């Protein structure tokens, strides 16, 4: 039997005694009035949510109370822990202890890092059980990108995942139904009660899913800018700091990189196009910003997992896998282990092959030209994302079908010089004519000025590292 608890009701109704457990209305009232929820209270709340004993109205009210009153570090860590244990927690063989790692990104335009990072890390000898999302957004999530490869299966049981991890070292899969079930319920209600954008709730949602993977080390890519969920550096910094605390507080060595997401990452946006670019990167021929980000995120993990004695050594190790054929070989092995026919996987990973013999690409294309000569100061990632979404690359509600072959190929980037009337972007689309509205939106996305750019990325998207 739970011990009797007493707490003060701000003098309104005097002392209230709760015996034999808690009750939802009292917990909602406590949080509504600015109280701090205890570990036991948070655990009770989550248990009741998962059992289906919390009414819709109560859940919405509690989330709104948490949203308005905020959760402090301790409440966030307690909520993270309770959510982690609301369902299955993945278990790995003892001999992998110290070597199980993963990354989470808050999401950006052209962000195909996971597709490169997981096999590159596996090639370094660490284990990567990447549980990923589809994402509701303008462009598809990691799972959508992978599903543009014919035969790729993202729905693996824990046993199947373990087998792929043993044989290959990495896998990229969707969340199984009993991994952090509390998050599924909370997330769906946050979505319809305008309680999504809260640092404590975001942190517990993201970190609980990663802790349930039983990781030893986690790196977070927290994006800032026009194409990111968080537009300003201060909120990104706050979220990163809170997530690092919650991760470390849950026993996972956690570090966050703040990265620039004003312009699309790499040159390709859209599901199959991004797979193509990832394959180039795995061959050592990727765009500089993408390759750098893979190396820096992966380097942090190798260092944290004790696979390198310093960061520079870690960067060199992972960079090596992109140039010596081992990362692309792991990608081929992962594809085969996750359902892609062997001859197809091998052909996709052959250097110099036109991957669009296998991957879908929309049959019509339109070139977008620069209206003036000068230096590229900005390519608005959000405008690129909105057009890609309207072409069919993303979804606005769960379950919607998406179009794998549509997207954008950028032939310039911030800091480069462009000539008037030359193509800086090719759009791949299904309809014969690209609507004028999309053309003008993309033309508007490019900001060209006569003077050179002083603040171009200087070779990296990383703005800061939060430990
Ligand atoms: N992704 C998550 O897993 N959880 C969240 O709350 C958000 C994005 I916002």
């Amino acid at each position: 039997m739970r011990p009797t608890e007493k707490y003060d009701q701000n003098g309104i109704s005097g002392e209230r005694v709760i015996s034999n457990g808690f009750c939802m209305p009292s917990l909602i009232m406590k949080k509504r009035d600015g109280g701090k929820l205890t570990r036991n209270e948070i655990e009770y709340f989550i248990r009741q949510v998962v059992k289906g004993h919390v009414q819709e109205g109560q859940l919405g009210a509690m989330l709104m109370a948490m949203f308005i009153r905020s959760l402090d570090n301790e409440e966030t860590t307690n909520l993270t822990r309770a959510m982690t244990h609301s369902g299955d927690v993945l278990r790995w063989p003892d001999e992998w202890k110290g070597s199980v790692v993963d990354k989470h990104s808050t999401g950006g335009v052209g962000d195909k890092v996971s597709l490169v990072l997981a096999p590159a890390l596996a090639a370094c000898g660490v284990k990567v059980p990447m549980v990923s999302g589809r994402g509701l957004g303008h462009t598809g999530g990691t799972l959508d990108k992978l599903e543009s490869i014919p035969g790729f299966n993202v729905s693996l049981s824990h046993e199947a995942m373990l087998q792929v991890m043993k044989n290959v070292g990495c896998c990229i899969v969707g969340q199984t139904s009993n991994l952090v079930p509390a998050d599924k319920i909370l997330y769906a209600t946050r979505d319809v009660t305008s309680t999504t954008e809260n640092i404590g709730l975001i942190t517990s949602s993201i970190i609980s899913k990663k802790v349930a993977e039983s990781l030893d080390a986690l790196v977070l890519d927290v994006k800032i800018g026009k194409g990111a969920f968080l537009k300003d550096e201060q909120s990104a910094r706050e979220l990163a700091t809170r997530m690092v605390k919650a991760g470390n507080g849950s026993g996972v060595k956690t570090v966050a990189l703040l990265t620039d997401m004003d312009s699309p990452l790499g040159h390709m946006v859209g599901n199959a196009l991004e797979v193509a670019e990832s394959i180039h990167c795995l061959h050592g021929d990727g765009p500089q910003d993408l390759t750098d980000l893979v190396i820096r995120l992966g380097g942090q993990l190798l260092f944290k997992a004790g696979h390198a004695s310093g960061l520079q050594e870690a960067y060199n190790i992972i960079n090596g896998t992109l140039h010596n054929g081992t990362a692309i070989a792991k990608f081929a092995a992962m594809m085969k282990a996750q359902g892609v026919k062997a001859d197809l996987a091998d052909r996709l990973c052959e250097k110099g092959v036109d991957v669009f013999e296998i991957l879908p690409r929309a049959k019509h294309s339109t070139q977008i030209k620069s209206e003036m000569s000068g230096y590229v100061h900005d390519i608005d990632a959000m405008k690129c994302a909105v057009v890609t979404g309207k072409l069919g690359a993303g979804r606005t509600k769960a379950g919607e079908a998406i179009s794998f072959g549509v997207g954008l190929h950028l032939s310039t980037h911030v800091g480069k010089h462009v000539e008037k009337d030359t193509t800086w972007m090719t759009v791949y689309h299904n309809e014969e004519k690209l609507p004028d509205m999309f053309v003008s939106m993309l033309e508007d996305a490019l900001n060209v000025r006569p003077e050179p750019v002083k603040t171009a990325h200087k070779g990296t998207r990383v703005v800061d590292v939060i430990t």
Side-chain angles (χ1 to χ4, degrees):
M1 195 187 294
R2 197 179 300 281
T4 299
E5 285 227 357
K6 296 179 179 186
Y7 60 77
D8 182 52
Q9 292 279 307
N10 295 334
I12 297 165
S13 54
E15 192 178 65
R16 177 166 174 181
V17 180
I18 301 175
S19 53
N20 295 330
F22 308 100
C23 74
M24 272 309 293
S26 311
L27 292 192
I28 295 166
M29 190 191 293
K30 185 179 184 187
K31 195 65 212 169
R32 181 200 71 186
D33 295 343
K36 174 170 168 160
L37 296 178
T38 64
R39 177 175 172 166
N40 283 344
E41 286 167 340
I42 289 174
E43 284 174 357
Y44 167 81
F45 165 58
I46 291 299
R47 260 198 319 273
Q48 294 300 99
V49 165
V50 174
K51 281 187 195 156
H53 292 176
V54 177
Q55 294 171 19
E56 250 181 66
Q58 291 176 324
L59 185 53
M62 180 58 117
L63 289 169
M64 189 56 83
M66 287 175 162
F67 183 95
I68 290 172
R69 291 295 188 172
S70 298
L71 297 168
D72 68 10
N73 275 324
E74 200 179 338
E75 287 175 303
T76 307
T77 301
N78 285 333
L79 182 58
T80 305
R81 189 182 301 110
M83 286 171 69
T84 301
H85 296 286
S86 67
D88 297 340
V89 171
L90 304 183
R91 295 276 168 235
W92 309 117
D94 288 346
E95 61 269 26
W96 295 359
K97 191 89 207 98
S99 293
V100 184
V101 303
D102 196 5
K103 176 218 61 147
H104 176 83
S105 159
T106 56
V109 183
D111 183 4
K112 69 279 291 172
V113 165
S114 295
L115 277 63
V116 185
L117 185 62
L121 282 168
C124 298
V126 289
K127 300 287 181 186
V128 194
M130 204 175 258
V131 179
S132 215
R134 271 175 209 290
L136 280 180
H138 300 293
T139 59
T142 296
L143 301 182
D144 301 307
K145 291 168 200 183
L146 287 168
E147 283 180 343
S148 71
I149 305 169
F152 199 102
N153 174 21
V154 297
S155 308
L156 300 191
S157 64
H158 181 35
E159 291 68 36
M161 216 175 149
L162 184 62
Q163 210 47 49
V164 180
M165 297 262 292
K166 276 185 181 158
N167 296 339
V168 181
C170 65
C171 59
I172 307 181
V173 300
Q175 196 181 334
T176 52
S177 60
N178 208 32
L179 198 78
V180 195
D183 182 59
K184 292 205 183 79
I185 301 167
L186 260 50
Y187 198 81
T189 306
R190 284 166 60 207
D191 203 26
V192 294
T193 54
S194 291
T195 50
T196 300
E197 302 91 342
N198 174 271
I199 286 191
L201 294 175
I202 299 173
T203 297
S204 52
S205 165
I206 292 173
I207 301 298
S208 61
K209 285 176 284 192
K210 291 296 161 188
V211 178
E213 288 176 27
S214 293
L215 302 177
D216 296 297
L218 169 66
V219 67
L220 302 162
D221 181 0
V222 181
K223 311 259 188 211
I224 317 163
K226 292 192 187 80
F229 160 63
L230 297 167
K231 312 287 177 214
D232 67 291
E233 189 171 326
Q234 194 189 326
S235 8
R237 214 171 258 287
E238 273 174 39
L239 177 62
T241 307
R242 186 73 70 91
M243 289 201 291
V244 167
K245 277 206 172 79
N248 285 322
S250 308
V252 180
K253 292 176 192 159
T254 308
V255 58
L257 304 193
L258 298 183
T259 69
D260 173 0
M261 187 23 80
D262 270 336
S263 61
L265 182 66
H267 292 154
M268 307 280 196
V269 182
N271 298 292
L273 288 167
E274 292 188 40
V275 172
E277 186 162 59
S278 303
I279 291 173
H280 292 148
C281 193
L282 285 158
H283 278 300
D285 297 330
Q288 219 259 291
D289 57 353
L290 172 64
T291 307
D292 175 78
L293 194 49
V294 168
I295 291 170
R296 285 172 191 266
L297 290 163
Q300 288 286 347
L301 287 173
L302 291 180
F303 179 54
K304 290 250 173 226
H307 280 239
S309 53
L311 269 179
Q312 193 53 52
E313 185 191 335
Y315 297 153
N316 293 343
I317 294 172
I318 190 158
N319 186 36
T321 70
L322 301 177
H323 292 93
N324 63 16
T326 54
I328 189 76
K330 285 288 179 195
F331 187 65
M334 180 179 81
M335 282 195 285
K336 291 177 205 171
Q338 293 195 237
V340 180
K341 285 199 182 116
D343 56 340
L344 210 118
D346 287 336
R347 180 108 184 101
L348 258 182
C349 293
E350 231 174 82
K351 199 162 173 135
V353 156
D354 176 7
V355 292
F356 293 109
E357 286 171 9
I358 294 164
L359 298 175
R361 188 168 59 188
K363 69 170 193 266
H364 301 288
S365 63
T366 300
Q367 304 198 329
I368 310 292
K369 304 201 172 188
S370 174
E371 289 165 343
M372 61 181 279
S373 295
Y375 293 91
V376 177
H377 280 246
D378 184 28
I379 300 171
D380 188 320
M382 191 41 82
K383 290 192 171 122
C384 293
V386 168
V387 173
T388 312
K390 288 191 185 300
L391 294 174
R395 51 172 82 76
T396 51
K397 36 182 205 294
E400 232 169 33
I402 62 170
S403 187
F404 292 126
V406 299
L408 316 176
H409 179 178
L410 289 79
S411 34
T412 190
H413 57 78
V414 173
K416 273 203 149 185
H417 192 270
V418 287
E419 295 295 330
K420 185 175 188 302
D421 292 333
T422 57
T423 300
W424 67 274
M425 177 191 277
T426 305
V427 185
Y428 291 93
H429 46 98
N430 293 326
E431 305 299 326
E432 195 164 344
K433 180 165 174 358
L434 184 66
D436 292 342
M437 199 180 79
F438 296 175
V439 174
S440 34
M441 199 158 178
L442 291 171
E443 282 170 352
D444 278 356
L446 184 72
N447 178 358
V448 174
R449 289 190 228 147
E451 71 280 6
V453 183
K454 291 203 188 85
T455 53
H457 301 125
K458 298 196 183 77
T460 184
R461 294 261 177 168
V462 178
V463 175
D464 204 355
V465 179
I466 312 278
T467 51

